Amino acid sequence: MPIRWTDYRLIAALLLALVCAAQAYAYAPGLMTWDSIRQYGQALSGDFDDWHPPAMEWLWRQLLPIAHGPAPMLAIQLGLYWSAFAGLVVWAVRAGRRRLAIAFAVAAILPLPVVLMAEIIKDSLMAGLLLAASAILVAIPTRGRPVARLIALILIVCAATLRFNALPACLPLAIALLPASWRATRVRFGAALLIGTAVIAAALPLANRAVGAKPSGVGLSLVIFDLGGITRFSGVDAFPADDDVDDPVAVNRHCYKPERWDSYSWWVPDPCPLGFDAMDDLFKQSGESPYRHWLGAVLAHPVAYAEHRLTHFNINIRFLVHDEVERPVMGRIPPNDWGFHLTPNPALTWLDRGARWSAHTPLGWPVWWMALAIGLLVVAPGLPSRRLVIPMALSGLLYGLGYLPASVACELRYHLWTMLAVLIAALIAGSDMARGATPARRRLLIAAAPVLLVTILCVVWRLA
């Protein structure tokens, strides 16, 4: 007896439920990281600083009456993720796009995002919020549904409170959610762009002030990392004068690592003499603004700054690299004061193994997703679903590019939203083309060039 479409829908629903259950079981009570361990401590005490998003710590504190530990945060992240994908599947089914519904279901169970969504971390929570907002954007018609649009915009603003660089990810989605009449002319579009930028950019500082977060000087980490990079590539000391360091250039040569700034932090076993505490004291004693000093160093050594930034970005996006930068996903909860840990189980083993394997394929190369986003933006103007493909691809691409000037580490979780946004955009675009909306051959060739070129270069470089 042939399998009917209703049977496929049931199979897809059962598959999603099975993977969700396996994910929750494997990573219970929630995969805490070093960052979330620090955040949980502040959630317990109510004494927030702004090193990590205070809005997340405040939310965690509100969940304490329900249950202590990471479990409530895990439930929120998984709820956002699976409800968003379920919504996408339902929308595709109702639109008569059965293959797209199956594609969404398969995308939801890819091991890399499944494991990253189990990490209790700002990147995963932000991705969950934006994914939910995107599902609403996909589901609503081009006109009407003001309540749904408002809910999606609120989700986007909440996401903007979680990362200082959230603006490029949030703005394209926010603009797409506005009623078409608000974007009908260049003047209206420009006004919407300016207002949207102001609201999203203000979300983080206003949230920090609302919860009474103390300034931690977190921005100094980027300043120090860039000064270290400028010093390394120029051979000239770019740090503020320090009488306690005889040869800053030689000292920095041992401290600087292009993949991350941690060697300048206070938590490493052997802190750099040019590290956070020393620089913080120097800037406070001199009264000089760290950011003004940074700008002066960049203007004095633009080539060295560019070399440093491009070297770091290349590693960050897993472009021309040979070895694994670091473990792509967390495999255990670090030691903590509360005894939270993951219990070894078969589901954990298989999901972790699948995520680690995926990281060695284009699915785990952020640069590949960014190249795909460029291609999608080339073909999208000729597609029926361009109102969805363009903002999704643009959100993922701009967010990934945002790590070029403002990144101090290379963890794969940073690019979770880029992967998810471009993946959804690609599936919708592919569905459009499968249904007969074929762009001109020349446009298709131009669109395919970036992803083909990146794929070839990445593979050749890794095999060399």
Side-chain angles (χ1 to χ4, degrees), residues 299-357:
L299 294 176
H301 306 283
V303 175
Y305 172 72
E307 286 184 273
H308 153 66
R309 273 287 134 203
L310 289 172
T311 300
H312 173 74
F313 190 59
N314 174 64
I315 302 171
N316 188 299
I317 61 176
R318 278 44 170 196
F319 186 23
L320 304 180
V321 295
H322 288 100
D323 302 317
E324 186 172 272
V325 176
E326 59 182 30
R327 203 178 198 279
V329 293
M330 295 282 290
R332 64 183 182 86
I333 299 177
N336 58 88
D337 295 338
W338 310 281
F340 297 126
H341 66 280
L342 298 182
T343 302
N345 60 78
L348 172 61
T349 300
W350 282 102
L351 285 173
D352 181 76
R353 187 176 297 170
R356 290 164 59 193
W357 176 84

Side-chain angles (χ1 to χ4, degrees), residues 268-292:
V268 292
D270 186 21
C272 178
L274 299 167
F276 188 93
D277 290 337
M279 292 299 106
D280 189 36
D281 289 341
L282 284 175
F283 282 120
K284 286 178 178 177
Q285 291 170 9
S286 67
E288 181 185 16
S289 166
Y291 305 105
R292 181 175 297 176

Side-chain angles (χ1 to χ4, degrees), residues 169-191:
C170 297
L171 189 58
L173 300 178
I175 296 299
L177 280 161
L178 296 177
S181 60
W182 294 22
R183 300 175 273 114
T185 66
R186 290 183 179 181
V187 173
R188 290 183 181 182
F189 181 82

